[in-house]
Structures are given as structure tokens and as C-alpha cells.
Amino acid sequence: MMFITGPLEPKVGLGLAVRYFKKGIRALGVAECFRKGASKRSILAGVVMRADMLVDGFSFATATVGGLDATDAILRLYKRLGREDVNVLMLNGCVISWYNVVDLHAVAEGTGKPLICVTYEPSPGLEKYFAEYFPSDWRERLAIYERNGPRKRVLLRTGHEVFIRAIGLSEDEALRVLNRFVMHGAIPEPLRLARLLARAALASVGELSQARLGP
């Protein structure tokens, strides 16, 4: 049993269509990890996964903790992949890296792909936190956040509720795509694996930074 509370309006102009029924549909899941109070930059990991759960691509980028560059970081991550066969993007939230707000429309337009942003908890709003922590640019952060539009609550086939923002997809497509990629719980597999990968990269970043090419 599935339900959607409120309409999800597909954004026109992208010329996008997701054939959610295809076995080979590919999603790029993007998630991030950082240590609050210790990290100056967060690590973003991207995982390309087919609907049959075959993983066939990874990519990384970084964003400034507390900055305003999350949108550019996701676009770099996508372009670094060089994968035109990705059908849809999934983002693990649009406010990442300590209130670094992702412009979802800019990501969809910059990649030319439909996008589903997934979160897992209800929220009373972020305006007071933007104003408290970022007095110099809180209005800019709020404007991006409001431009992303309201979240819609949906019930996945696993029985778990999530909150989504969909761009370039109809409400039916967004829900059906998520259900193709969720095995158990609330987190679609591309996002679950991307989060694990970001955590592993952050834990190893000190050693990895010492690696050098050549003799």
C-alpha cells in the first residue's frame, strides 16, 4: 500500500522521462559525511546503481562545511563520472555539510537529469537556524531552500515513510523509482551505499592524502 500526501508537480522544461520499469535503469545516489567541529570540508560520495542492484560507478567531491558550494560540488561529482547513461539522481537531503543548501533546480538543469531528494524526518523549518548561525548570508540560504519547494510525505513499499522533493518526474514516477531501489527500511540502496562510502572515505582521508602518483 502506497500513498502520497499532496501533489508533486513535475517541473517542465527539462525534457526528462524516467522509464522506471526498465531493468537497467541507473540511479546516481549522492550522500555526504563530515565531522562537525573538526572538518572544514565534507566528503560527497556518488554511487551509480542499476535497478537490479548492480553497482557500476563511483565518484567523489568535497564541499565546504557551513559554505554555499554544495550545488557546485554535486555538479562536479556528476561531471567527473562522465556517465550519460545515468537516468535519475537521488540526493540524501538538500541541506548538507552544516546548512550548505543544495539548489535542486540548478542540479537538475546542470545535469539534464530528473532528481529525487529524500529526507527521513519531519521538520518545523530551518529559517531560525539559518539566521542564528549565518547572520551575514542567511537570506541567501533561505531563498535557495524555499526555491526547492515543499517536501511531500510518501509511503514506500517497505512500509516506511520518507519525505521527497521531485524535479523532472511526475508523482507516480518518483514513487515508483524509489520503490525500485529500496530493499528494506527507508533508505534507497544508492543512497545507503553512498553514505557508507562517504563515511569510509572520511575515516581514511588522512592516509589517502599521503598517496602520490609515480615512483
Side-chain angles (χ1 to χ4, degrees):
M1 180 179 180
M2 298 178 292
F3 67 84
I4 298 176
T5 58
L8 278 177
E9 294 295 334
K11 305 300 187 292
V12 298
L14 293 176
L16 305 170
V18 177
R19 295 188 175 182
Y20 57 82
F21 53 85
K22 290 182 62 178
K23 180 179 180 180
I25 180 178
R26 285 176 171 84
L28 170 61
V30 180
E32 55 102 35
C33 187
F34 70 98
R35 295 190 184 96
K36 186 177 179 180
S39 302
K40 291 184 178 179
R41 300 191 68 80
S42 65
I43 293 178
L44 281 68
V47 173
V48 179
M49 181 179 288
R50 293 191 341 185
D52 59 3
M53 304 304 164
L54 175 69
V55 175
D56 65 355
F58 299 99
S59 186
F60 294 93
T62 66
T64 306
V65 174
L68 273 171
D69 58 352
T71 303
D72 291 337
I74 293 172
L75 290 173
R76 287 198 311 274
L77 183 152
Y78 171 79
K79 292 175 182 177
R80 193 167 287 144
L81 273 171
R83 296 287 297 272
E84 291 299 322
D85 58 348
V86 168
N87 302 103
V88 61
L89 272 64
M90 295 183 187
L91 304 186
N92 211 44
C94 68
V95 182
I96 66 174
S97 307
W98 205 59
Y99 300 105
N100 196 331
V101 188
V102 180
D103 187 329
L104 300 181
H105 296 280
V107 171
E109 292 171 4
T111 60
K113 306 293 180 181
L115 179 154
I116 307 170
C117 179
V118 185
T119 51
Y120 309 96
E121 301 290 341
S123 171
L126 297 176
E127 181 175 351
K128 66 176 182 178
Y129 300 108
F130 291 152
E132 179 180 354
Y133 297 131
F134 304 96
S136 63
D137 62 12
W138 71 272
R139 294 182 185 278
E140 182 179 359
R141 294 173 195 268
L142 181 61
I144 298 171
Y145 183 72
E146 290 182 339
R147 194 158 59 242
N148 287 335
R151 303 185 305 166
K152 305 297 180 183
R153 183 178 62 170
V154 301
L155 185 67
L156 300 174
R157 65 180 181 86
T158 57
H160 289 261
E161 291 182 0
V162 296
F163 299 84
I164 68 172
R165 295 177 174 91
I167 298 176
L169 297 90
S170 70
E171 59 184 35
D172 180 68
E173 286 176 322
L175 193 53
R176 289 177 183 268
V177 167
L178 288 178
N179 279 327
R180 289 295 304 273
F181 286 94
V182 65
M183 295 181 64
H184 53 81
I187 305 175
E189 289 299 298
L191 294 178
R192 187 184 68 83
L193 186 54
R195 189 167 66 174
L196 290 173
L197 193 59
R199 288 176 177 174
L202 182 64
S204 306
V205 69
E207 182 174 348
L208 291 175
S209 67
Q210 299 175 29
R212 295 292 185 269
L213 297 177

